[in-house]
């Protein structure tokens, strides 16, 4: 099942790009597509040079605007969550077998990831809970 309508955020250029992709996929006849240009809230249809005549206060135009604004809000929220998650992660998270407690012990001993990265396997193994095998694994992570 195809959607009743695909709405593109943008003007004629963005609409043309989507139309080209739909044409390549042989879906242009099956999928109705329009674009909503932000500046004047103009609605464009494929193959038309001028926007659909409409009043920005018409319920249909208001609905399209709310859909667009909600999509923006959703995308911004998602990207903020992703960025926050990346900032919370440590390079140490990528080393298998090195859980949160061992990471804390390493950071307490070396005081920074930079110092951990230049430590020898012997120095790493001095930390409580880090045996020779894990020390070698940590060393190899930073020195591939």
């Amino acid at each position: 099942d195809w959607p009743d309508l695909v709405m593109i955020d943008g003007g004629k250029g963005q609409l043309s790009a989507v139309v080209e992709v739909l044409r390549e996929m042989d879906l242009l006849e099956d999928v109705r597509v329009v674009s909503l240009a932000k500046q004047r809230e103009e609605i464009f249809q494929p193959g038309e040079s001028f926007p659909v005549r409409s009043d920005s206060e018409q319920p249909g135009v208001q609905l399209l605007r709310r859909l667009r604004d909600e999509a923006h809000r959703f995308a911004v929220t998602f990207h903020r969550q992703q960025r926050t998650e990346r900032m919370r992660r440590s390079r140490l998270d990528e080393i298998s077998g090195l859980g949160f407690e061992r990471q804390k012990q390493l950071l307490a001993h070396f005081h920074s990831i930079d110092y951990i990265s230049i430590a020898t396997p012997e120095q790493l193994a001095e930390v409580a809970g880090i045996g020779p095998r894990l020390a070698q694994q940590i060393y190899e992570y930073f020195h591939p």
Side-chain angles (χ1 to χ4, degrees):
D1 291 336
W2 301 111
D4 295 329
L5 178 69
V6 173
M7 187 180 81
I8 307 304
D9 179 20
K12 289 190 286 186
Q14 288 83 354
L15 178 62
S16 295
V18 171
V19 165
E20 182 59 34
V21 170
L22 289 173
R23 187 174 286 122
E24 288 172 9
M25 296 174 70
D26 199 30
L27 293 175
L28 193 56
E29 299 299 319
D30 299 322
V31 178
R32 184 174 171 104
V33 62
V34 298
S35 70
L36 180 63
K38 177 122 182 151
Q39 214 162 19
R40 293 190 195 105
E41 307 294 355
E42 296 174 318
I43 302 167
F44 290 95
Q45 292 180 308
E48 299 294 324
S49 299
F50 298 102
V52 173
R53 286 188 177 187
S54 63
D55 177 5
S56 63
E57 298 308 312
Q58 286 178 317
V61 176
Q62 289 178 348
L63 175 64
L64 291 177
R65 189 177 334 141
R66 283 196 300 265
L67 288 170
R68 187 230 13 243
D69 293 346
E70 178 61 17
H72 280 189
R73 186 199 63 75
F74 180 84
V76 167
T77 301
F78 175 77
H79 287 288
R80 282 184 184 150
Q81 287 172 342
Q82 294 294 311
R83 186 177 60 235
T84 300
E85 183 64 29
R86 276 195 310 271
M87 291 176 73
R88 283 190 189 139
R89 273 191 249 132
S90 164
R91 290 174 62 194
L92 299 176
D93 289 335
E94 298 173 11
I95 302 170
S96 67
L98 191 59
F100 181 71
E101 287 302 316
R102 288 181 176 161
Q103 289 179 29
K104 277 185 5 184
Q105 290 169 322
L106 279 169
L107 288 169
H109 184 85
F110 289 102
H111 304 293
S112 80
I113 293 178
D114 289 336
Y115 287 131
I116 295 170
S117 72
I118 60 173
T120 65
E122 293 77 22
Q123 291 170 322
L124 292 165
E126 291 174 5
V127 177
I130 307 291
R133 180 185 288 151
L134 185 53
Q136 186 63 39
Q137 217 176 319
I138 296 166
Y139 180 81
E140 288 173 1
Y141 172 81
F142 288 107
H143 304 93

